[in-house]
């Protein structure tokens, strides 16, 4: 599932393939920008911002994309066969003489002026993997609404940018509280530790797609503590991990927790 670390690595690969190169193939397969042509422009850089990607071109244009839940960018040698999915799932193509970047299942693809980037990403909180990272501000943002459940506060990109559903469950487990605990009820020091742990985990995983939050344990192949492990034993106490949806109606996310190790309200 794309989260801040996945987006960072995607941006890294795109930057390596495209930056400093002249675009020789351009195809934006979304109605609003279907006639836009970026050929002849040099790619300046590809920058991640939370879960957003900003591909900047000479002439003051930026291609803003978002991976959503299932999106991805794949980079291929110019003569290679594409393998990221069927052609009807392709939303964007950027190519040069050596490499081709193909965006699959992207829920957001928009072309905007570089000076207007803040309209797309200005609402985001401090980026866990960005130069603007500010842990004190992130903690303050999390605690603005004391009654808000921790899981929802962590997923709100206006608080801090980069945490997705996987890290939400894992961070709550590491803090030994349920994702439904109101943030105002977190014990002293826990918000600061949560934010520091989030930044450490994303930093540790940003150069690999094979995400891991567990660094030790009886089973070396187990990578996550609770996410995706409904009915399996908790790595701490052996109790069966549980699963329930969390979030506003229509935007619920599967959430995992250990009913013994984690204190706080549950569904």
């Amino acid at each position: 599932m794309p989260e801040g670390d996945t987006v960072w690595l995607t941006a890294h690969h795109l930057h390596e393939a495209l930056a400093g190169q002249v675009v020789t193939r351009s195809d934006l397969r979304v109605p609003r920008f279907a006639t836009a042509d970026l050929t002849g422009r040099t790619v300046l850089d590809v920058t991640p911002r939370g879960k957003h990607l900003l591909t900047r071109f000479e002439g003051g244009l930026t291609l803003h994309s978002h991976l959503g839940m299932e999106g991805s960018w794949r980079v291929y040698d110019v003569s290679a066969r594409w393998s990221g999915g069927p052609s009807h799932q392709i939303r964007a193509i950027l190519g040069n003489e050596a490499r081709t970047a193909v965006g699959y299942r992207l829920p957001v693809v928009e072309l905007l002026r570089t000076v207007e980037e803040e309209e797309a990403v200005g609402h985001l909180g401090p980026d866990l993997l960005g130069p603007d990272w500010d842990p004190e501000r992130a903690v303050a943002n999390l605690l603005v609404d004391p009654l808000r459940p921790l899981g929802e506060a962590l997923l709100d990109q206006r608080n801090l940018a980069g945490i997705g559903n996987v890290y939400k469950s894992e961070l709550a487990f590491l803090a030994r509280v349920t994702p439904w605990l109101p943030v105002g009820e977190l014990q002293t020091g826990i918000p600061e530790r949560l934010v520091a742990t989030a930044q450490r985990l994303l930093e540790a995983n940003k150069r690999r797609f094979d995400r891991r939050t567990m660094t030790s344990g009886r089973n070396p192949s187990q990578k996550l503590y609770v996410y995706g492990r409904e009915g399996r034993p908790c790595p701490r106490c052996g109790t069966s991990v549980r699963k329930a949806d969390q979030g506003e109606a229509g935007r619920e996310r599967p959430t995992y927790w250990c009913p013994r190790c984690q204190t706080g309200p549950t569904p």
Side-chain angles (χ1 to χ4, degrees), residues 35-116:
T35 61
D37 186 5
L38 296 168
T39 57
R41 295 178 184 266
T42 298
V43 176
L44 302 179
D45 64 81
V46 183
T47 298
R49 183 72 173 86
K51 298 183 184 181
H52 300 252
L53 286 161
L54 302 171
T55 304
R56 301 185 178 109
F57 303 84
E58 66 173 349
L61 290 179
T62 295
L63 181 65
H64 168 225
S65 60
H66 193 290
L67 301 184
M69 298 287 287
E70 299 178 345
S72 68
W73 277 96
R74 304 289 184 90
V75 176
Y76 304 97
D77 289 336
V78 70
S79 60
R81 183 178 180 181
W82 302 349
S83 57
S87 60
H88 72 267
Q89 293 182 346
I90 295 174
R91 296 292 177 265
I93 302 170
L94 295 173
N96 53 48
E97 292 184 354
R99 313 296 292 278
T100 304
V102 185
Y104 292 91
R105 299 171 297 279
L106 302 174
V108 175
V109 177
E110 62 174 348
L111 196 61
L112 45 86
R113 296 179 63 83
T114 301
V115 295
E116 298 171 348

Side-chain angles (χ1 to χ4, degrees), residues 65 79 88 101 120 137 141 150 186 204 242:
S65 60
S79 60
H88 72 267
R137 182 180 160 211
N141 289 348
L150 173 63
L186 290 169
R242 294 186 183 176

Side-chain angles (χ1 to χ4, degrees), residues 142 150 154 163 171-172 174-175 177 186 189-199:
L142 279 176
L150 173 63
L154 287 172
I163 292 177
L171 288 166
L174 290 168
V177 297
L186 290 169
I190 295 298
E192 291 81 3
R193 184 168 38 174
L194 267 168
V195 165
T197 301
Q199 201 278 333

Side-chain angles (χ1 to χ4, degrees), residues 6-248:
T6 305
V7 175
W8 187 96
L9 185 55
T10 298
H12 177 73
H13 289 320
L14 289 172
H15 184 85
E16 284 189 329
L18 302 176
Q21 304 296 317
V22 176
V23 175
T24 58
R25 180 172 184 180
S26 166
D27 187 0
L28 304 183
R29 299 183 180 181
V30 292
R32 183 180 174 188
F33 301 103
T35 61
D37 186 5
L38 296 168
T39 57
R41 295 178 184 266
T42 298
V43 176
L44 302 179
D45 64 81
V46 183
T47 298
R49 183 72 173 86
K51 298 183 184 181
H52 300 252
L53 286 161
L54 302 171
T55 304
R56 301 185 178 109
F57 303 84
E58 66 173 349
L61 290 179
T62 295
L63 181 65
H64 168 225
S65 60
H66 193 290
L67 301 184
M69 298 287 287
E70 299 178 345
S72 68
W73 277 96
R74 304 289 184 90
V75 176
Y76 304 97
D77 289 336
V78 70
S79 60
R81 183 178 180 181
W82 302 349
S83 57
S87 60
H88 72 267
Q89 293 182 346
I90 295 174
R91 296 292 177 265
I93 302 170
L94 295 173
N96 53 48
E97 292 184 354
R99 313 296 292 278
T100 304
V102 185
Y104 292 91
R105 299 171 297 279
L106 302 174
V108 175
V109 177
E110 62 174 348
L111 196 61
L112 45 86
R113 296 179 63 83
T114 301
V115 295
E116 298 171 348
E117 286 179 359
E118 285 300 296
E119 295 182 11
V121 297
H123 65 287
L124 299 175
D127 186 344
L128 283 151
L129 295 177
D132 70 322
W133 174 237
D134 183 342
E136 292 184 0
R137 182 180 160 211
V139 169
N141 289 348
L142 279 176
L143 299 178
V144 163
D145 182 356
L147 298 180
R148 194 173 193 188
L150 173 63
E152 295 181 22
L154 287 172
L155 284 183
D156 190 335
Q157 302 300 295
R158 296 170 299 181
N159 291 334
L160 66 171
I163 292 177
N165 209 39
V166 176
Y167 281 119
K168 176 194 78 173
S169 293
E170 296 292 286
L171 288 166
F173 177 81
L174 290 168
R176 294 180 177 267
V177 297
T178 70
W180 290 272
L181 182 73
V183 292
E185 296 182 23
L186 290 169
Q187 293 184 2
T188 301
I190 295 298
E192 291 81 3
R193 184 168 38 174
L194 267 168
V195 165
T197 301
Q199 201 278 333
R200 176 178 59 80
L201 288 175
L202 266 72
E203 184 70 31
N205 283 292
K206 72 180 186 180
R207 294 189 180 275
R208 62 190 182 201
F209 284 112
D210 188 21
R211 182 180 297 124
R212 175 183 287 273
T213 57
M214 290 188 68
T215 56
S216 62
R218 296 179 181 178
N219 183 2
S221 65
Q222 184 177 333
K223 299 178 177 63
L224 303 175
Y225 288 100
V226 291
Y227 186 85
R229 303 191 67 249
E230 179 186 13
R232 300 178 189 176
C234 166
R236 279 201 195 116
C237 70
T239 302
S240 294
V241 172
R242 294 186 183 176
K243 171 189 174 185
D245 287 336
Q246 181 181 28
E248 301 174 0

